[in-house]
């Protein structure tokens, strides 16, 4: 039994949702998205501002698709209405980021700067300002949850946080397990 697939999706105010025979089209102030599904396996019904996702049979693959399609439609509704945001902190002496055009250029300890282009529909902001923990913040935002997460992951992957000093690029709410250095075990 899919517990996720059986949940109802409440449509917020200001969101325009159209249900077709094999797609759901969602338009809002942050953007628009179109979710396709197999009408032989999954059905979507819209009534009085509530979307209900149903399945045609009880096969294992159909149950999996039931929950997946419901989650994709829900994420599209949230993204088109409010949007998604990921914040990354830059930690390390001399580490910094800057915007050139729509791309982000990272100076994170390599002999050359690294340029990353965001996925379509994603915007990047660099918030300068040294704090106790970081040299600045990178804010990745957009209406597509996958694109925002993938762009943030590409930025983080350029210099992952290391466990001894904690230097690198990490998510703001991420906790890094720190290790003790060699001198801690000496007598």
């Amino acid at each position: 039994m899919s517990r996720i697939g059986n949940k109802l999706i409440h449509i917020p105010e200001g969101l325009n949702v159209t249900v077709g025979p094999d797609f759901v089209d969602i338009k809002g102030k942050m953007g628009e998205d179109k979710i396709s599904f197999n009408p032989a396996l999954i059905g979507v019904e819209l009534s009085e501002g509530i979307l209900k996702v149903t399945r045609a049979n009880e096969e294992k693959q159909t149950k999996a698709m039931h929950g997946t399609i419901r989650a994709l439609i829900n994420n599209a509704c949230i993204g088109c209405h409010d949007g998604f945001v990921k914040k990354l902190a830059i930690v390390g002496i001399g580490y910094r980021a800057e915007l050139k055009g729509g791309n982000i250029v990272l100076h994170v300890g390599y002999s050359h700067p690294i340029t990353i282009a965001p996925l379509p529909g994603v915007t990047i902001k660099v918030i300068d300002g040294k704090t106790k923990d970081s040299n600045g913040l990178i804010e990745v935002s957009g209406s597509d949850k996958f694109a925002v997460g993938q762009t943030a992951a590409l930025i983080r992957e350029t210099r992952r946080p290391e466990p001894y000093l904690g230097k690198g690029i990490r998510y703001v709410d991420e906790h890094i397990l720190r290790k003790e250095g060699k001198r801690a075990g000496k007598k």
Side-chain angles (χ1 to χ4, degrees):
M1 177 172 120
S2 173
R3 292 189 172 98
I4 297 294
N6 290 332
K7 288 184 176 181
L8 300 176
I9 301 171
H10 297 280
I11 307 298
E13 289 291 322
L15 208 60
N16 186 13
V17 178
T18 307
V19 178
D22 63 344
F23 67 90
V24 177
D25 194 22
I26 302 162
K27 294 180 183 172
K29 63 182 178 185
M30 295 297 292
E32 59 183 75
D33 204 351
K34 185 175 185 177
I35 307 296
S36 299
F37 57 88
N38 185 352
L41 302 177
I42 303 296
V44 179
E45 302 164 5
L46 175 65
S47 63
E48 299 176 10
I50 295 177
L51 273 174
K52 182 177 182 182
V53 181
T54 58
R55 62 178 178 248
N57 54 42
E58 296 296 317
E59 292 179 14
K60 188 174 183 178
Q61 184 181 5
T62 307
K63 287 181 181 181
M65 289 305 297
H66 183 214
T68 302
I69 294 298
R70 189 262 176 207
L72 289 173
I73 293 171
N74 188 46
N75 286 340
C77 289
I78 293 170
C80 291
H81 187 260
D82 298 326
F84 292 100
V85 176
K86 294 263 187 184
K87 292 183 180 178
L88 298 121
I90 304 169
V91 179
I93 296 173
Y95 290 6
R96 67 185 195 284
E98 60 185 356
L99 287 176
K100 283 193 179 172
N103 301 337
I104 186 167
V105 179
L106 300 169
H107 303 274
V108 286
Y110 297 117
S111 62
H112 58 283
I114 297 172
T115 303
I116 296 177
L119 295 176
V122 176
T123 58
I124 299 175
K125 281 197 311 189
V126 176
I127 304 167
D128 288 328
K130 289 190 175 237
T131 63
K132 178 180 85 166
D133 296 335
S134 70
N135 295 348
L137 293 175
I138 301 169
E139 191 174 278
V140 182
S141 61
S143 64
D144 186 4
K145 188 174 187 176
F146 170 77
V148 169
Q150 185 65 29
T151 303
L154 289 172
I155 292 170
R156 183 183 181 273
E157 192 63 29
T158 59
R159 180 64 87 170
R160 287 185 279 159
E162 51 97 11
Y164 293 101
L165 297 175
K167 294 178 3 180
I169 300 174
R170 64 175 178 216
Y171 296 109
V172 169
D173 57 351
E174 181 179 11
H175 178 70
I176 305 298
L177 290 176
R178 302 289 294 270
K179 294 182 179 179
E180 292 186 37
K182 289 183 179 179
R183 65 178 171 228
K186 286 188 176 179
K187 293 186 179 185

